[in-house]
């Protein structure tokens, strides 16, 4: 793999500013953001008033913890445009969540918001080793989902040549990578695996492709998966995080030179970590739920939004801004199996460490005889593996899960290609309880 470390002189000065400078900017912007939300969004006025706080109570960054949280239900209750803080005619773009688990949530952007999104997203692409003039294959879905258009905006800002292929038609994805020879790819890690399968199906060597860096996010993935993808394509694999309520992709980004967690673009998004049960703030370095407050957003300011994503905050390394560790999972994806907390990423770790199995998997939960049971559905890596061998691989996985997570599960090892392939975010859990 080539060294893609960006030259320091290409970075925005704030990326390598002192902590004092960053915090001075944050407090100034935070005061503006709280006031803007309070004065322009009835929901925030009501929730601040009920809690007995006013934007003028914010004297230091620590005072933010006095302000009330915002949760997904608040956004649903204000569907579609009730949380917008500017007149409708200043909103130049909307995005929305899929709404598969209830009322969709709608977010909006002013012209200035798009400019800022383009700036943080462009920073993220540069952190992955891309430079103006490079070509990017963008396989995140275009549409209401923020992935495709968000990345595209950053790529335009940085000056990349973007191939806006979106998700799906995997055969064509491989064709375009072979013919156009992009340097970078933006895609969910699970869909990257489907593209990898297609390379193999077409008897093309993915390591010989032009790809040098891949920017993977929108779903949790492990360091074991990073190794798998890096080896398969002979390229760097870095993590990108974001959520539509806060902006979209580009809230935080891993740097290609360190790959040690994601630097949060703290000049636009202020992070906190709380205990998900009590809501109390926890110190940097401790695990908990990530909470974000936007510092510059005009159309859709968001105050202390509970992301439900679990991680911890760490000091800066490649950049001055704090890092968040790779997200382990969401509070709502946590499976409690006979008293043990389990995340799909832990199953992924075990699967990747078991030889003979492909990285595609799903988890089926059922409750026969009032006891929760977990069945891990996976498949062999290579075609034409006989049943006896499949049984051995399955047993190995059962043992590994028992040893490392401490739970007893059932495993079904199917033929290669049997597990449903992802075209975007993978569906990991099938809950039949
Ligand atoms: O997934 C935005 C995005 C697009 C991020 C492309 C990165 C790349 P939503 O659809 O609103 O937005 O989903 C947000 O996805 O709260 C996390 O649970 C999860 N998620 C996003 N990025 C990561 C990541 C986009 N790198 C939700 N690791 C978030 C783990 C992630 N989970």
């Amino acid at each position: 793999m080539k060294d893609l470390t960006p030259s320091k002189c290409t970075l925005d000065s704030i990326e390598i500013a002192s902590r004092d400078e960053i915090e001075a900017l944050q407090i100034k912007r935070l005061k503006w953001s709280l006031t803007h939300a309070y004065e322009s969004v009835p929901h925030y006025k009501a929730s601040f008033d009920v809690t007995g706080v006013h934007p003028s109570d914010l004297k230091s960054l620590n005072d933010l913890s006095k302000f009330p949280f915002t949760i997904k239900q608040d956004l649903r209750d204000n569907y579609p445009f009730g949380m917008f803080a500017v007149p409708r005619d200043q909103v130049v773009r909307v995005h929305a969540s899929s709404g598969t688990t209830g009322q969709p949530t709608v977010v909006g952007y002013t012209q200035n918001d798009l400019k800022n999104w383009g700036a943080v997203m462009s920073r993220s692409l540069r952190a992955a080793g891309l430079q103006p003039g490079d070509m990017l294959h963008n396989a995140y879905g275009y549409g209401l989902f923020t992935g495709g258009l968000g990345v595209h905006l950053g790529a335009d800002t940085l000056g990349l040549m973007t191939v806006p292929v979106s998700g799906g038609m995997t055969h064509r994805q491989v064709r375009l990578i072979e013919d156009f020879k992009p340097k970078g790819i933006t895609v969910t890690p699970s869909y990257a695996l489907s593209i990898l399968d297609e390379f193999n199906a077409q008897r093309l060597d993915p390591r010989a492709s032009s790809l040098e860096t891949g920017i993977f996010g929108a779903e949790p993935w492990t360091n074991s998966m990073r190794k798998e993808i890096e080896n398969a394509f002979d390229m760097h694999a870095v993590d990108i995080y974001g959520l539509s309520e806060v902006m979209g992709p580009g809230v935080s980004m891993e740097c290609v030179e360190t790959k040690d967690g994601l630097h949060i673009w703290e000049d636009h998004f202020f992070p906190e970590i709380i205990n998900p049960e009590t809501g109390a703030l926890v110190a940097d370095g401790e695990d908990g739920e990530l909470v974000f407050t936007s510092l510059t957003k005009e159309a859709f300011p968001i105050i202390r939004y509970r992301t439900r994503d679990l991680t911890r905050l760490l000091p800066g390394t490649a950049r001055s801004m704090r890092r968040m560790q790779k997200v382990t999972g969401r509070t709502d994806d946590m499976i409690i199996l006979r008293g043990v907390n389990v995340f799909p990423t832990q199953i992924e770790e075990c699967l990747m460490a078991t030889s003979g199995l492909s990285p595609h998997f799903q988890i089926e939960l059922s409750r026969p005889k009032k006891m929760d049971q977990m069945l891990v559905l996976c498949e062999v890596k290579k075609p034409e593996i006989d049943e006896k061998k499949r049984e051995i691989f399955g047993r190995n996985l059962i043992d590994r899960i028992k040893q490392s997570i401490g739970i007893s599960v059932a495993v079904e090892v199917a033929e290669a290609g049997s597990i449903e392939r992802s075209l975007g975010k993978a569906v990991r859990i099938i809950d039949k309880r």
Side-chain angles (χ1 to χ4, degrees), residues 140 145-147 217-220 239-245 248-249 307 309 327 330 425:
Y140 285 120
F145 173 56
T146 51
E219 61 187 7
D239 197 355
I240 184 164
Y241 170 89
L243 63 168
S244 41
E245 294 87 341
T307 64
D309 293 323
V327 171
R330 294 173 60 77
K425 294 184 192 242

Side-chain angles (χ1 to χ4, degrees), residues 174 193-206 232:
V174 173
L193 294 178
S194 309
I195 294 178
L196 177 62
D197 284 350
E198 186 60 33
F199 262 93
N200 293 327
Q202 294 187 28
R203 297 188 185 285
L204 292 166
D205 178 6

Side-chain angles (χ1 to χ4, degrees), residues 33 55 86 93 96 101 117 139 174 181 296 332 346 348 364 406 426:
S33 189
V86 295
R93 170 88 68 83
T101 55
W117 190 9
V174 173
K181 308 205 181 324
T296 52
D332 31 2
Q346 290 171 281
E348 183 178 295
E364 197 178 284

Side-chain angles (χ1 to χ4, degrees), residues 192-428:
L193 294 178
S194 309
I195 294 178
L196 177 62
D197 284 350
E198 186 60 33
F199 262 93
N200 293 327
Q202 294 187 28
R203 297 188 185 285
L204 292 166
D205 178 6
R207 290 181 63 87
S209 84
S210 59
L211 294 172
E212 292 177 35
T213 185
I215 297 146
F216 303 99
E219 61 187 7
W221 58 300
T222 58
N223 281 320
S224 313
M225 180 76 90
R226 185 206 307 276
K227 274 196 208 116
E228 172 92 14
I229 294 175
E230 287 194 330
N231 283 335
F233 284 99
D234 188 25
M235 69 170 171
H236 294 279
V238 278
D239 197 355
I240 184 164
Y241 170 89
L243 63 168
S244 41
E245 294 87 341
V246 173
M247 185 67 107
V251 171
S252 65
M253 177 72 202
E254 205 164 41
C255 294
V256 72
E257 63 269 44
T258 42
K259 294 182 190 157
D260 57 354
L262 304 92
H263 283 90
I264 298 167
W265 302 130
E266 277 193 86
D267 50 337
H268 293 278
F269 315 105
F270 188 83
E272 295 171 285
I273 300 282
I274 59 163
N275 176 324
E277 267 131 52
T278 64
L281 215 55
V282 306
D284 283 11
E286 281 180 40
D287 290 322
E289 179 183 344
L290 185 60
V291 170
F292 271 114
T293 299
S294 64
L295 299 179
T296 52
K297 284 209 305 172
E298 294 175 343
F300 194 87
I302 190 97
I303 309 299
R304 301 199 82 206
Y305 184 67
R306 292 189 59 160
T307 64
R308 301 192 245 187
D309 293 323
L310 298 168
T311 181
R312 69 171 86 141
L313 292 178
L314 301 164
T317 50
R319 306 288 187 275
S320 318
M321 300 189 192
R322 279 178 290 175
R323 287 166 299 146
M324 53 186 262
Q325 203 191 31
K326 250 178 164 328
V327 171
T328 353
R330 294 173 60 77
T331 47
D332 31 2
D333 275 350
M334 187 176 80
I335 304 157
I336 305 177
L337 198 76
R338 299 185 288 275
V340 182
N341 298 347
V342 192
F343 288 101
T345 46
Q346 290 171 281
I347 302 293
E348 183 178 295
E349 288 280 2
C350 293
L351 188 79
M352 310 283 301
T354 309
S355 62
L357 299 176
S358 96
H360 301 277
F361 73 101
Q362 283 189 314
I363 295 167
E364 197 178 284
L365 299 171
S366 59
R367 190 175 286 157
K369 299 187 202 138
K370 292 190 186 148
M371 278 282 269
D372 282 354
Q373 272 193 11
M374 184 190 287
L375 170 66
V376 179
L377 302 163
C378 57
E379 58 174 48
V380 279
K381 209 165 199 164
K382 295 193 180 134
E384 288 159 35
I385 302 282
D386 65 41
E387 205 158 315
K388 220 170 172 185
K389 267 208 175 125
R390 293 211 309 250
E391 225 179 280
I392 297 170
F393 295 151
R395 201 162 300 281
N396 289 345
L397 180 58
I398 290 174
D399 291 346
R400 194 174 291 276
I401 291 174
K402 179 81 193 164
Q403 268 169 24
S404 68
I405 315 176
I407 52 169
S408 302
V409 301
V411 166
E412 210 173 276
V413 183
E415 278 172 31
S418 318
I419 300 292
E420 194 185 306
R421 295 308 193 242
S422 140
L423 294 178
K425 294 184 192 242
V427 179
R428 290 293 184 214

